[in-house]
Amino acid sequence: MSDPILSVRNLKIAFRMATGEVEALKGVNFDVHEGQAVALVGESGSGKSVTAQAILGILPSNAVITDGQILFRDPRGSEPIDIATLHQDSPRFQSIRGGRISIIFQEPMVSLSPLHTIGDQISEALFLHHPVSRAEGLAQTEAMLDMVGFPDPARALRTYPFELSGGLRQRAMIAMALVCRPAMLIADEPTTALDVTVQAQILRLIRDLQSELKMALLLITHDLGVVANMAKDLVVMYHGKIVERGPADDLFTKPQHPYLSALFKAVPRFGMKPEERLVPVRPIQHELTDHFRAAPGGGAAAGDLLEVSGLSKRFTIRSDGFFNKTSSEILAVDDVNFSIRRGECLGLVGESGCGKTTLSKMLMRALRPDTGEIRYHSREGVIDVLGLEGEALLAFRRRMQLVFQDPFSSLSPRMTVFDIVREPLVIHQRGDRESQRELVQELMRLVGLDPRFLSRYPHSFSGGQRQRISIARALALQPELLICDEPVSALDVSIQAQVLNLLKDLKSELGLTYLFISHNLAVIDYIADRIAVMHQGRIVELASREALFSKPTHPYTQSLLRAVPHPDINRPLDFDALAQSGGNDPERWPAAFQLATDDADHWLDLGDGHHVRANRELLTGERI
């Protein structure tokens, strides 16, 4: 085998803090060969991104390489360069960064400038590293946009990032990274923020471009499903060290290190038995106190708790120009009907922009729908949620609470944990300060956190701990219904397992009812009893968890299931089948399932609570 294109040898990096040095990398060693795909796997804080920053020379100012080498061997034939010895702003390093080694960052909206067009941002790297004219540079940029799958590359040159979907923004990031034809690409969590169908498209694109351009790939991720489909070799990091490395085939079938084995047990998988639980790397113990054993939600009776019928919401988009003012309407939620039974978890699945969060905001009365009804079946009688105002609305909100997607931005950085969890009690005037303190301490124990942490601020907690604080705040008023809006999408697999197990236990112990919103079908499979699939503002299929996964009927549901990457080396994604299935494009679905706007569009009952949106006249018996 030829020499590796990149050799990391005994790399040690420390961060100089006011309280002393913190060692982030503790002697990291691995190789990446030309044309090879290597996955760097580990939880947040394990040192993955610090390793990538060191390779690119973009370490923070308080970080220092204390020992080791980063040897880069350019296939063009130059002598090996020890990147660790170069100054980050030196001309030599600047010629390598972006020109020979490029990176795709995790969040494309943050990484792209909102003030510059896509064409200017991609061509900037080309003009910096190659002596081409502006016309030649824009032509090469347009060709690269075409290569990464932009539908109209010429128009894309003039668009701004906010005009693009998440998938297209990520494609723009890939084009920017590849426009100089680098020898090596670092992909730092390139699909974490994307829906499963878009993720499958991006993974195929990266794999195909890697093969076509014959470049090395260092894939940084915590998603073992992505690793199984992309990498031939695996490097596992834990607390700044490499704990296991080798061919992906061997490590997936026979992991040797306990940490890697624990990661596999923490990943939600299809087909798990009802009594089977995820096993976090670090399990948490929560305590059910006397106060919550007597919670009103306990021992819930059968029947519907929430009933939604005919719910619709339009948004008007205005475009103001000097001479021309135009407006257009977007139908975000279109005639949605469903119910949630007491004590069950209804999973709501769909891609970004399908209307999931808009629907949750209407249920919470943060938005008012244009049409429809929301009825809440309390023990005192049926409540017309849309008819509530003033004190009656404030009182109703005690019954229904929301757990947000991002545990950091949803917690005030200026408030202590005590004030954050106590705030709902203050707003709703529940008890005096002493009783509130006692209840807040019970809530901390309920979600598995030490009450001694109450005087701390959110920044001193991990992502999983912050999400547990959010759950404690949502439970402060002892609601009957929790709306969980992507509560684990920003978390590592092990932390995700902690939070999912906690939510599952609290549902059982407190008699809670959940509306669980997610685009991760494996997570939904683990926690939900019934599942509603949403597309372009409509529910297209509704069924029990068992029925939906064993007999998906709608082509969109089938596409979602095909697009989920399994953490199994023997179950790779079938990219060709995905491309042919129609995905999220209704025009490519069979005629019976295309979203009609007239009376031919029906909500069909397939039996046992399984419903699908289809044209009754066009749907044949063979299809079902």
Side-chain angles (χ1 to χ4, degrees):
M1 183 178 289
S2 61
D3 290 334
I5 189 173
L6 183 81
S7 297
V8 177
R9 293 286 176 266
N10 194 38
L11 184 63
K12 297 180 181 179
I13 296 176
F15 285 83
R16 290 172 176 165
M17 317 292 285
T19 55
E21 284 194 353
V22 177
E23 198 171 17
L25 295 187
K26 305 170 184 177
V28 170
N29 295 275
F30 66 90
D31 295 327
V32 183
H33 288 81
E34 186 176 3
Q36 182 188 27
V38 176
L40 196 57
V41 176
E43 297 173 280
S44 296
S46 63
K48 308 187 305 295
S49 293
V50 172
T51 303
Q53 289 170 353
I55 295 170
L56 280 165
I58 54 174
L59 283 168
S61 58
N62 65 333
V64 59
I65 297 176
T66 58
D67 195 9
Q69 294 179 304
I70 306 173
L71 297 174
F72 175 63
R73 298 175 175 86
D74 195 324
R76 290 178 177 175
S78 62
E79 291 297 316
I81 303 168
D82 185 2
I83 292 174
T85 62
L86 298 178
H87 190 277
Q88 294 189 8
D89 296 327
S90 67
R92 187 78 181 272
F93 214 145
Q94 289 181 356
S95 67
I96 295 172
R97 185 193 305 125
R100 304 305 297 149
I101 304 176
S102 285
I103 188 168
I104 305 169
F105 292 102
Q106 179 173 354
E107 179 46 69
M109 197 61 201
V110 175
S111 306
L112 294 170
S113 167
L115 303 178
H116 298 87
T117 64
I118 293 296
D120 285 342
Q121 293 185 67
I122 295 173
S123 60
E124 181 182 17
L126 191 62
F127 295 138
L128 183 65
H129 292 283
H130 295 279
V132 295
S133 66
R134 178 167 179 79
E136 291 173 330
L138 290 178
Q140 290 184 36
T141 301
E142 184 177 336
M144 181 56 67
L145 286 170
D146 183 49
M147 181 180 286
V148 299
F150 266 79
D152 188 348
R155 183 178 179 276
L157 291 173
R158 305 186 299 274
T159 60
Y160 289 86
F162 69 86
E163 298 179 87
L164 303 176
S165 67
L168 285 178
R169 285 197 294 265
Q170 195 63 293
R171 287 172 187 265
M173 286 292 301
I174 295 171
M176 189 186 303
L178 300 183
V179 71
C180 292
R181 305 295 175 116
M184 179 175 174
L185 174 67
I186 300 173
D188 189 359
E189 302 277 9
T191 61
T192 298
L194 302 178
D195 301 312
V196 286
T197 51
V198 179
Q199 173 180 264
Q201 294 170 10
I202 296 299
L203 292 179
R204 180 177 190 172
L205 175 64
I206 293 174
R207 195 182 69 175
D208 291 348
L209 290 174
Q210 182 209 357
S211 175
E212 182 177 341
L213 301 177
K214 295 181 173 57
M215 65 182 175
L217 173 66
L218 180 61
L219 176 66
I220 298 174
T221 184
H222 62 255
D223 189 331
L224 292 170
V226 170
V227 173
N229 284 275
M230 295 294 292
K232 295 299 182 184
D233 290 270
L234 188 57
V235 178
V236 184
M237 292 192 74
Y238 180 68
H239 283 187
K241 294 181 179 180
I242 304 294
V243 295
E244 190 166 4
R245 62 186 172 192
D249 290 349
D250 295 342
L251 269 61
F252 268 81
T253 53
K254 294 180 180 179
Q256 299 298 313
H257 196 276
Y259 176 66
L260 182 56
S261 299
L263 282 182
F264 282 117
K265 293 176 183 176
V267 180
R269 305 173 302 281
F270 290 128
M272 293 180 68
K273 298 176 182 177
E275 68 279 2
E276 190 177 356
R277 287 172 66 86
L278 300 175
V279 183
V281 175
R282 291 167 292 277
I284 60 169
Q285 299 296 326
H286 71 284
E287 181 182 342
L288 192 65
T289 61
D290 292 336
H291 187 94
F292 286 95
R293 286 196 188 99
D304 290 341
L305 179 63
L306 187 74
E307 190 180 356
V308 174
S309 58
L311 213 60
S312 298
K313 179 66 179 178
R314 291 179 182 272
F315 291 101
T316 300
I317 308 298
R318 291 183 175 85
S319 176
D320 296 336
F322 287 107
F323 305 106
N324 184 28
K325 293 186 177 183
T326 60
S327 65
S328 59
E329 284 192 339
I330 294 176
L331 187 58
V333 176
D334 183 10
D335 191 27
V336 165
N337 302 270
F338 65 89
S339 62
I340 308 176
R341 300 164 189 155
R342 284 185 180 275
E344 84 163 346
C345 175
L346 177 68
L348 185 60
V349 181
E351 297 174 295
S352 298
C354 73
K356 305 188 303 293
T357 299
T358 300
L359 176 60
S360 70
K361 288 179 178 179
M362 288 191 288
L363 297 181
M364 291 293 297
R365 280 292 305 274
L367 286 174
R368 181 174 284 278
D370 300 328
T371 62
E373 293 182 335
I374 304 172
R375 291 180 292 275
Y376 190 92
H377 296 261
S378 72
R379 301 179 189 281
E380 296 79 30
V382 179
I383 299 173
D384 178 9
V385 176
L386 298 180
L388 298 174
E389 298 293 343
E391 290 296 324
L393 178 58
L394 184 66
F396 170 75
R397 286 197 168 128
R398 299 170 191 162
R399 301 175 182 270
M400 190 188 305
Q401 291 289 300
L402 186 64
V403 178
F404 295 95
Q405 177 174 357
D406 186 348
F408 193 78
S409 62
S410 62
L411 301 176
S412 171
R414 298 181 179 88
M415 296 172 68
T416 64
V417 172
F418 172 73
D419 290 329
I420 288 170
V421 180
R422 173 176 170 251
E423 188 176 27
L425 302 172
V426 174
I427 293 172
H428 290 269
Q429 300 177 354
R430 292 285 187 91
D432 57 20
R433 185 177 177 86
E434 190 55 39
S435 65
Q436 288 171 354
R437 175 173 289 279
E438 182 181 333
L439 181 56
V440 168
Q441 290 174 342
E442 289 191 34
L443 284 162
M444 291 289 279
R445 287 190 286 268
L446 184 67
V447 297
L449 291 172
D450 193 327
R452 292 176 296 179
F453 296 163
L454 284 170
S455 59
R456 296 184 182 180
Y457 289 85
H459 71 266
S460 62
F461 292 88
S462 68
Q465 288 173 325
R466 286 196 292 263
Q467 194 61 292
R468 283 188 269 156
I469 293 167
S470 297
I471 294 170
R473 178 178 59 183
L475 294 175
L477 297 171
Q478 297 175 250
E480 295 177 304
L481 175 63
L482 272 188
I483 299 175
C484 303
D485 189 0
E486 301 271 13
V488 296
S489 64
L491 305 178
D492 292 323
V493 287
S494 180
I495 309 302
Q496 172 182 276
Q498 288 180 355
V499 174
L500 288 175
N501 283 347
L502 176 65
L503 287 171
K504 214 169 187 183
D505 291 341
L506 293 177
K507 173 177 172 287
S508 172
E509 295 164 355
L510 304 183
L512 292 170
T513 304
Y514 292 153
L515 174 62
F516 196 98
I517 299 170
S518 180
H519 64 256
N520 188 326
L521 280 162
V523 167
I524 289 289
D525 183 30
Y526 180 66
I527 198 166
D529 301 303
R530 288 189 303 140
I531 301 170
V533 181
M534 197 169 186
H535 179 267
Q536 292 186 1
R538 289 183 173 185
I539 304 291
V540 297
E541 191 161 4
L542 176 64
S544 67
R545 179 180 61 84
E546 296 82 2
L548 192 86
F549 286 102
S550 63
K551 193 179 179 181
T553 302
H554 199 280
Y556 179 62
T557 308
Q558 295 169 357
S559 293
L560 287 179
L561 288 170
R562 289 194 192 103
V564 177
H566 296 274
D568 185 345
I569 208 76
N570 298 314
R571 296 180 65 185
L573 287 173
D574 188 341
F575 291 113
D576 293 331
L578 272 169
Q580 296 168 7
S581 66
N584 59 4
D585 183 3
E587 294 184 0
R588 298 178 58 196
W589 297 343
F593 295 98
Q594 291 182 8
L595 298 182
T597 57
D598 55 23
D599 293 337
D601 197 37
H602 295 285
W603 187 237
L604 305 184
D605 186 353
L606 306 182
D608 296 325
H610 191 166
H611 297 80
V612 66
R613 187 177 291 275
N615 186 310
R616 189 183 303 274
E617 296 176 0
L618 295 178
L619 191 67
T620 63
E622 290 80 19
R623 181 70 194 183
I624 296 181

